[in-house]
């Protein structure tokens, strides 16, 4: 345990994931091991796991599961982000049919993959990030469809969002490399196992 104490548990978290309650439990249960939270994007979450720059990560699905273990955690409701004065805000919730004729903006690495029948393609290159896409939508140019957490994370006074009742949900999962638990990897494996227990609600004294 002396070696483990000198090494932090590196937990990646994709944009929009909410690991706060689990981090709090980790700090109570493992005060001798620092938890290093590593922010990730959809574009780099798989690479972070492949290169072991994180021990485990809260990722947004879909994800190539080759050489990974994965536990689905929760699903997020999709929302439509538009300008605050858009006619779309007259409804409390929207369907895909309501978006016919709207310009559908998607960032370079969209957190949701979907096609809107009757939607219009933008006449500009995909924005670099979700934040950039939402900024464009807030100007009235079009709409962005994202998981609820990202609409909240990038909230703007000049933008509004409404639930998309027939859109695809976005799933958050815990993923970690399926590597042999030997040598230096043994410490990482032990940390991951402890974090899995926290996520699954095991008490400090419960067995696997």
């Amino acid at each position: 345990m002396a070696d483990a104490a000198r090494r932090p548990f590196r937990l990646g978290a994709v944009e929009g994931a909410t690991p706060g309650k689990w981090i709090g439990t980790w700090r109570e249960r493992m005060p001798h091991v620092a938890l290093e939270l590593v922010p990730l994007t959809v574009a780099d979450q798989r690479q972070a796991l492949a290169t072991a720059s994180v021990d485990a990560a809260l990722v947004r699905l879909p994800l190539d599961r080759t050489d990974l273990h994965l536990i689905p955690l929760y699903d997020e409701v999709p929302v439509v982000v538009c300008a605050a004065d858009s006619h779309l805000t007259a409804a409390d919730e929207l369907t895909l049919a309501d978006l016919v004729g709207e310009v559908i903006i998607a960032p370079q690495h969209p957190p949701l993959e979907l096609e809107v029948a009757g939607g219009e393609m933008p006449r500009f290159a995909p924005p670099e990030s979700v934040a950039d896409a939402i900024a464009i939508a807030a100007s009235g140019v079009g709409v962005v469809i994202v998981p609820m957490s990202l609409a909240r994370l990038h909230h703007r006074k000049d933008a509004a969002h409404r639930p998309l009742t027939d859109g695809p949900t976005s799933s958050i999962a815990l993923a970690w490399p399926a590597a042999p638990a030997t040598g230096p990897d043994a410490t990482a494996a032990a940390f991951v196992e402890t974090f899995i227990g926290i996520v699954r609600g095991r008490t400090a004294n419960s067995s696997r």
Side-chain angles (χ1 to χ4, degrees):
M1 185 61 71
D3 290 339
R6 291 193 293 269
R7 181 208 191 285
F9 171 50
R10 299 168 305 209
L11 177 66
V14 73
E15 186 179 43
T18 54
K21 64 180 180 180
W22 297 318
I23 291 175
T25 301
W26 174 278
R27 288 172 176 164
E28 293 174 2
R29 193 171 299 179
M30 301 284 285
H32 54 285
V33 179
L35 187 151
E36 179 182 329
L37 188 63
V38 181
L40 302 175
T41 66
V42 170
D44 63 19
Q45 60 180 4
R46 185 65 179 81
Q47 183 68 9
L49 289 162
T51 59
S53 60
V54 296
D55 300 316
L58 299 179
V59 298
R60 193 174 296 280
L61 302 181
L63 182 74
D64 177 6
R65 302 188 184 193
T66 305
D67 296 326
L68 292 179
H69 293 305
L70 190 146
I71 300 173
L73 298 177
Y74 60 88
D75 295 330
E76 289 192 66
V77 173
V79 300
V80 177
V81 182
C82 57
D85 58 358
S86 169
H87 68 281
L88 295 173
T89 62
D92 292 331
E93 55 187 27
L94 300 169
T95 66
L96 290 169
D98 294 320
L99 304 182
V100 171
E102 299 289 339
V103 174
I104 310 299
I105 305 166
Q108 291 179 14
H109 300 281
L112 284 174
E113 295 283 356
L114 80 162
E115 291 187 9
V116 178
E120 301 290 334
M121 291 288 292
R123 296 182 179 179
F124 48 84
E128 183 175 345
S129 67
V130 169
D132 292 337
I134 288 177
I136 295 172
S139 73
V141 171
V143 302
V144 184
I145 303 172
V146 295
M148 176 74 80
S149 66
L150 294 182
R152 290 174 172 168
L153 179 65
H154 299 296
H155 173 71
R156 301 168 54 99
K157 291 182 179 180
D158 54 355
H161 64 266
R162 296 291 185 270
L164 184 63
T165 59
D166 55 352
T169 57
S170 178
S171 299
I172 297 293
L174 176 66
W176 66 98
T182 58
D185 290 334
T187 296
F191 289 166
V192 170
E193 184 62 34
T194 298
F195 192 73
I196 291 170
I198 291 171
V199 168
R200 286 181 162 169
R202 299 181 196 142
T203 66
N205 297 322
S206 64
S207 59
R208 292 182 56 184

